[in-house]
Amino acid sequence: MTVTTGPLAGVRVVELGGIGPGPFAGMLLADLGAEVVRVDRPGRAGAPDAGGPAAVLDRGKRSVVLDLKDPAATAALLGLVEAADVLIEGFRPGVTERLGIGPHDCLARNPALVYGRMTGWGQDGPLSAAAGHDITYIALTGALGAIGEAGGPPRIPLNLVGDFGGGGCYLVIGVLAALHTAERTGRGQVVDAAVVDGTAHLLASTFAKLARDEWSDERGVNRFDGGWPFYAVYGTKDGRHVAVGALEAKFYRTLIDLLGLDVDPARQHDRSTWPRLRRLLTERFAERTRDEWAELFEGTDACVAPVLSLTEAAAHPHLAARGSLVTRDGVVQPAAAPRFSATPSRPGRTAPAVGADTRAVFRDWGVRHPRRHPG
């Protein structure tokens, strides 16, 4: 039996295998101490992300295999649902209903269950049945259109904003809130987490600025999109970059002083001075290498940092001191976050092979295993 630690220790989660934000949500719940059982189809065993050290999104989970098109496997899953606190799934709307494991079926077996649903477009609306990916979801919300240089095309922010920020994180927030309600009332509910909804929610501050005429509805001319010269990225002598975020007056003054620029700090927000300021910053940062600038600004309040690659980030002294990134079985990956003083969380074991825990999970959860089923 798996013993977990963390604030969610004792919470049982069934995760119906999928991709992207659903597995990320399951990983986050496992990092927080929940016992997460991922249910996979029989054919997934040969997939590149099927178990092993590099399957980071499946760390800390147990793996069972069930062919949910088989009535015996469906019955077995519903048995797991009876013993669970949470189920999360990332199929298109209507799929679990057709399989006989939709919210109605599951809540009938376990009225206190939290049934978390992760989709791109949501469970309803004109596009609910359409295919999509992170890039299309954030495109529709306005987020993608707001990111990029002035006069240039939108820039794709990896799949951090949609899949993981607006998707997986919001699914976990919804699940935790619904768990709180279930503990008080004994009643479960469905959590409809959609990437478009979460991404739109992340834009709350931007929409507020737009309403106050503090944000122009175009790329590369605003405070946080590189439009302000003292909140931007600059190239260095060695072809690398530094990030500058000296928004506040005292930080801006420190930046100007350390760079030795002939500008008046009191005119920081005088836009007529910005073209010259950007030119001066561009020229000055091009005089030294990225690491030379990093050494100069280290520990100051100028709000300047080197732009690191993923592999460089793991070796940075600050991240190393905090253990923000860890290496497990030769794979660099994020540590559990956030941190707790009384119930510390930690990444769970390396992801098992697909189906490795099938019989053990059914035994530990007190559910009859479909013996003719693989695993």
Side-chain angles (χ1 to χ4, degrees):
M1 181 177 296
T2 298
V3 178
T4 59
T5 61
L8 293 184
V11 173
R12 285 178 167 177
V13 179
V14 174
E15 175 194 325
L16 301 187
I19 60 173
F24 175 76
M27 182 201 76
L28 180 48
L29 291 169
D31 284 353
L32 294 174
E35 181 182 355
V36 180
V37 171
R38 175 170 171 134
V39 179
D40 272 307
R41 63 188 185 279
R44 183 175 178 254
D49 62 343
V56 175
L57 294 186
D58 287 335
R59 73 186 185 192
K61 303 176 186 178
R62 304 172 86 186
S63 173
V64 307
V65 167
L66 291 173
D67 181 358
L68 295 178
K69 296 179 181 179
D70 181 342
T74 299
L77 178 66
L78 290 173
L80 293 176
V81 164
E82 286 190 23
D85 301 292
V86 178
L87 180 145
I88 57 177
E89 59 96 357
F91 300 128
R92 290 199 203 189
V95 170
T96 59
E97 285 85 349
R98 291 194 294 273
L99 291 171
I101 53 172
H104 177 78
D105 307 289
C106 291
L107 287 166
R109 298 289 289 269
N110 182 354
L113 182 74
V114 173
Y115 196 106
R117 317 196 79 171
M118 183 74 257
T119 60
W121 304 115
Q123 294 297 315
D124 53 32
L127 293 176
S128 61
H133 275 296
D134 175 287
I135 191 171
T136 52
Y137 307 139
I138 68 172
L140 211 65
T141 64
L144 181 60
I147 301 171
E149 298 176 1
R155 296 297 185 185
I156 304 169
L158 304 183
N159 57 341
L160 301 178
V161 173
D163 278 351
F164 301 123
C169 283
Y170 275 84
L171 175 59
V172 170
I173 292 169
V175 163
L176 296 179
L179 269 176
H180 178 67
T181 298
E183 289 172 356
R184 289 188 295 107
T185 67
R187 295 193 303 273
Q189 60 184 303
V190 178
V191 177
D192 175 4
V195 174
V196 289
D197 296 345
T199 302
H201 198 260
L202 289 172
L203 287 166
S205 175
T206 306
F207 276 111
K209 291 179 177 64
L210 186 65
R212 296 194 299 265
D213 291 326
E214 296 174 3
W215 191 272
S216 177
D217 199 9
E218 56 181 306
R219 286 184 294 281
V221 298
N222 296 289
R223 182 186 306 180
F224 297 120
D225 60 7
W228 291 17
F230 38 87
Y231 196 95
V233 173
Y234 291 94
T236 56
K237 184 178 181 180
D238 53 350
R240 297 178 178 181
H241 298 84
V242 294
V244 177
L247 286 175
E248 292 80 1
K250 59 182 179 180
F251 302 152
Y252 178 70
R253 185 178 295 274
T254 300
L255 172 71
I256 296 305
D257 288 345
L258 287 173
L259 290 175
L261 295 184
D262 181 21
V263 298
D264 181 1
R267 299 183 66 186
Q268 177 182 4
H269 293 286
D270 181 349
R271 290 175 179 261
S272 69
T273 69
W274 284 5
R276 177 176 178 266
L277 174 62
R278 190 180 294 273
R279 176 175 57 79
L280 291 175
L281 288 169
T282 299
E283 293 173 349
R284 185 55 53 87
F285 280 117
E287 293 175 359
R288 301 187 190 182
T289 67
R290 183 200 65 180
D291 293 345
E292 288 172 338
W293 287 121
E295 183 178 358
L296 174 68
F297 286 107
E298 183 78 26
T300 73
D301 283 347
C303 298
V304 176
V307 177
L308 303 180
S309 70
L310 293 173
T311 51
E312 289 176 318
H316 190 275
H318 181 78
L319 299 185
R322 286 188 57 81
S324 302
L325 294 167
V326 297
T327 301
R328 303 183 64 192
D329 296 325
V331 175
V332 177
Q333 56 194 277
R339 304 179 186 206
F340 300 86
S341 61
T343 55
S345 56
R346 64 172 184 263
R349 64 171 184 167
T350 293
V354 171
D357 307 301
T358 302
R359 293 189 180 277
V361 166
F362 279 91
R363 181 190 66 239
D364 294 346
W365 286 29
V367 179
R368 184 176 180 180
H369 177 264
R371 296 189 181 281
R372 65 186 177 87
H373 198 75

